[in-house]
Amino acid sequence: MGTFEELVAEGAAVPLEGWDFSWFEGRATEERPPWGYASLVAARLAEVGSALDLQTGGGEVTASAPVLPPLMAATESWPPNAAVAAKNLPFVVRAPDAGPLPFRASAFDLVISRHPVVTPWQEVARVLKPGGTYFSQQIGEGTNRELTEFMMGPQPRGDARGTSRARAEAEAAGLEVLRLEPVSLRVAFFDVGAVVHFLRKVLWTVPGFTVERYRDRLLAMHEHIQAHGEFACTSARFLVEARKPARPSA
């Protein structure tokens, strides 16, 4: 275990490109959802002729599938991630997270997304073929709230990432929700360097985070971890599967 300054400097120096969290090995842990998203996605990709991965990050999850469909496209808005994804997947385009999507209507049998910043439900419905499905693991409301409030103080509650909002927006876009399964997961950080890297990488946890701006709170975090062995918080995830009707409703 290094000093506070050494750990903070280490966490601040880790590259942010891609969506690979292997650097956290031994420094932080997060329980995995019980459904096994990557395996479920791989099975679905093997069964369709066309698929779109929205907000793919570095494309790591989709690229891990043993079989990709003949038409496999992906979007990513952040240029460093898009560059990584282009090495992992056959066709990656830059597109804003909230849409519009640069694809024709009814182009894909399957649309997938792991931890999207925002779900453009109307665009998802537009690019899905009739009978096609959207399958996504999403970050739920209140994720890592304990960490956010340790750094920023009490924050207002909301439902922007809640399952009720997801269902309502999916149905408003004309999709039928087949599965909506939430879960709460334990997260633990074992040194302040891991906290620094996490907050740099997962930007929405503490918007506007910089080491300089939050140095006092990082020192308090370091002292907390030294005293307790970890900083624990709770992550929320939910799995959502929605289908575009095969025929327009009467």
Side-chain angles (χ1 to χ4, degrees):
M1 182 69 70
T3 66
F4 169 71
E5 294 294 345
E6 290 169 343
L7 291 168
V8 167
E10 186 177 0
V14 184
L16 298 177
E17 293 82 1
W19 210 236
D20 179 3
F21 282 73
S22 60
W23 181 87
F24 289 99
E25 184 70 30
R27 309 185 71 152
T29 61
E30 181 179 7
E31 286 184 289
R32 300 288 92 191
W35 45 73
Y37 176 77
S39 296
L40 294 176
V41 163
R44 284 161 173 76
L45 289 172
E47 296 174 348
V48 298
S50 57
L52 172 63
D53 181 7
L54 293 180
Q55 302 171 45
T56 189
E60 297 90 349
V61 173
T62 298
S64 71
V67 178
L68 295 180
L71 174 58
M72 182 72 240
T75 68
E76 175 55 38
S77 64
W78 193 46
N81 274 353
V84 175
K87 299 176 182 178
N88 289 326
L89 296 173
F91 180 58
V92 180
V93 298
R94 292 273 306 280
D97 294 336
L101 298 175
F103 304 103
R104 62 178 174 81
S106 302
F108 299 100
D109 299 304
L110 175 68
V111 176
I112 59 175
S113 188
R114 181 178 181 272
H115 301 173
V117 175
V118 61
T119 300
W121 288 105
Q122 295 291 339
E123 282 291 271
V124 168
R126 184 183 66 81
V127 302
L128 275 174
K129 294 180 180 180
T133 60
Y134 174 70
F135 190 76
S136 176
Q137 178 176 295
Q138 305 218 357
I139 297 170
E141 188 63 41
T143 286
N144 297 323
R145 185 186 304 281
E146 301 93 336
L147 176 57
T148 300
E149 296 193 341
F150 186 96
M151 302 299 294
M152 302 179 67
Q155 299 295 304
R157 307 302 201 220
D159 67 346
R161 290 186 174 273
T163 53
S164 296
R165 174 71 69 88
R167 179 183 292 279
E169 293 185 352
E171 292 176 346
L175 302 177
E176 176 190 4
V177 177
L178 306 177
R179 183 176 181 182
L180 190 58
E181 183 177 343
V183 67
S184 294
L185 307 163
R186 189 177 191 274
V187 180
F189 296 92
F190 304 126
D191 70 72
V192 72
V195 174
V196 169
H197 181 44
F198 182 84
L199 294 179
R200 292 174 60 233
K201 195 172 186 71
V202 187
L203 300 174
W204 51 84
T205 307
V206 177
F209 171 81
T210 65
V211 169
E212 293 74 20
R213 182 178 179 184
Y214 286 94
R215 182 171 292 276
D216 289 348
R217 297 310 301 155
L218 291 171
L219 179 58
M221 174 67 72
H222 178 64
E223 292 170 347
H224 176 96
I225 293 173
Q226 283 189 313
H228 301 281
E230 64 180 23
F231 180 85
C233 51
T234 303
S235 169
R237 297 284 184 270
F238 64 88
L239 193 71
V240 57
E241 183 171 14
R243 179 172 58 201
K244 184 173 181 176
R247 298 184 180 85
S249 57

